[in-house]
Amino acid sequence: MTGPAADTESTTPTAAAPSLGRKVGSAAKWSLINTVVMRLGNFATGIVLARFFLGPEAWGVYGIAQTVLLVLLSANELGVSLAIVRWEGDPRRFAPTVLTLSAASSCLLYAVLFAVAPAVAGVLGSPEASGVLRVMCLCVVLDGLSQVPAGFLTREFAQGRRMAVDGLNFVLSTAVTLLLAVDGWGAMSFAWGSVVGNVAALIGCCLAAPGTLKFGWDREQARALLKFGLPLAGASMLALGVVNVDTMVVGSALDPLALGFYVLAFNISGWPVRIISEAARRVSFAGFSRLADSPQALAAGFARALGIVMAGTVPICVLLAALAAPVVELIYGERWLPAARALPWLMALGLVRIGCELAYDCLVAIGRRSSLIGVQALWLVILIPALVIGARTGGIVGVAQGHVLVAGAVVVPVFLLALHRGGIRVGTVARACAWPLLGGAVMAAVLLFLERYLGDGVLALLATGAAGTLCYVLCVLPGRALLKG
């Protein structure tokens, strides 16, 4: 994909490959360190808040506000910021137009949300979430402003600088959230913590990528950017709708207590997605974009990326699924145990999401945007009735089961077909996943067997987890050659 400001010179694949490999490798390491550190920090903060300051009802209100925020963030800059990463040439030529479009659309979205916040909160079953929505969604405007400098950091694989920015965001947002929660602000403590953190992130991105926060306008560039970005924004909004429509269904069909339990279970199931997949996605799109013109290199790169992501994610998902109840009770306390009933199904969903998100980035990089919109639209259309039926028949467990059924029976085959049309065969995907999935099956059997005979005490859980992980590693070792390089 080339933009209106594309350079005429290009680098040969032979010369570019070693440099690209080093950049991606270094960026991936920094991204993984960053993600692990930030997520462990968020994990610890969540434990403190859930155990001592906030009950299930407050988590439910936060879940509603977070859901609306994520959906808005998926399209707040109309998809044009990805041109900073994807288009060839000097991005500083069209970055001012990108910033103007991003800022204008973000402000318009926030204005609409501010006006309709009471109605949205009422429809989702949490009228008290209206004020939280209005505060938390200020992050939409801040995120729109930071898209351009953040895009430059991604394009340059500058994940070391990105880690410093995220660290500043985390420290300030966590401090504000905890202080307000201690003072009795409830779910509003999350909202103001998020706003303060995003302000810090905007300042940090501008310092890490100086000179990129400049407004400008070029009509031809704007037309090309919208043509490039709007399909991606549509696909992204559909993808976020898929991930977050369950919270809306639970909020409207069940009571606030059930919503709080579901939000906690869904957040736990997102740990491996956020730690492994988020780290990978910060470099995967830029990396796939560099390989988009070489089908063989793209297929090999996708296979290795998928194999590595699956190898790192499967043991976490299996551990949390097999030991859901003792883990939830140990970490969050006995009052949160109802969340454990939905967790095994949501862990299976998390594993599917990780593979689909990597496939999503690959399809975007090779320009198959229409395929993405079709896949995401199909997913959402089938998912909504499945979740409604699940909520009415099985509560939060039924919702989780509906998610897994639709993802496994419909979405995975459709994504495989889209990848096949893009030059990545089903056999390539199967080989990348084979050893991690085999190891996961063995690990699950070992964990369930040992838990039955050793019990669920702290030492027993540690021994069970260690034994299961060892079995997994032994199973995955034969496939280590695929993961190198």
Side-chain angles (χ1 to χ4, degrees), residues 294-371:
S294 174
Q296 266 190 323
L298 179 67
F302 179 80
R304 282 203 172 96
L306 180 61
I308 291 170
V309 166
M310 293 297 288
T313 306
V314 166
I316 306 175
C317 289
V318 171
L319 188 67
L320 291 174
L323 304 177
V327 167
V328 169
E329 184 177 8
L330 175 67
I331 295 175
Y332 292 100
E334 188 176 354
R335 68 170 173 167
W336 291 97
L337 267 177
R341 294 185 293 114
L343 187 55
W345 297 97
L346 291 174
M347 295 314 307
L349 174 66
L351 193 60
V352 173
R353 281 175 55 200
I354 287 172
C356 291
E357 287 177 356
L358 201 66
Y360 179 100
D361 287 347
C362 184
L363 292 171
V364 172
I366 61 178
R368 301 190 70 87
R369 298 188 292 278
S370 58
S371 297

Side-chain angles (χ1 to χ4, degrees), residues 355-404:
C356 291
E357 287 177 356
L358 201 66
Y360 179 100
D361 287 347
C362 184
L363 292 171
V364 172
I366 61 178
R368 301 190 70 87
R369 298 188 292 278
S370 58
S371 297
L372 281 176
I373 293 176
V375 172
Q376 301 294 349
L378 177 66
W379 194 348
L380 188 59
V381 167
I382 297 176
L383 182 62
I384 292 174
L387 295 182
V388 171
I389 293 171
R392 291 176 177 174
T393 58
I396 64 173
V397 177
V399 171
Q401 290 171 336
H403 246 315
V404 175

Side-chain angles (χ1 to χ4, degrees), residues 1-57:
M1 175 68 66
T2 56
D7 289 339
T8 57
E9 297 182 3
S10 62
T11 305
T12 63
T14 303
S19 175
L20 176 61
R22 286 193 296 270
K23 286 181 178 179
V24 171
S26 175
K29 291 174 186 176
W30 276 110
S31 182
L32 181 59
I33 293 170
N34 180 14
T35 307
V36 169
V37 171
M38 295 302 112
R39 293 309 170 189
L40 286 177
N42 284 322
F43 167 60
T45 304
I47 293 174
V48 172
L49 290 171
R51 270 190 171 273
F52 303 110
F53 302 112
L54 301 177
E57 292 85 354

Side-chain angles (χ1 to χ4, degrees), residues 146 165 168 197-209:
S146 66
V165 173
L168 179 65
N198 274 266
V199 170
L202 173 60
I203 296 172
C205 283
C206 293
L207 294 176

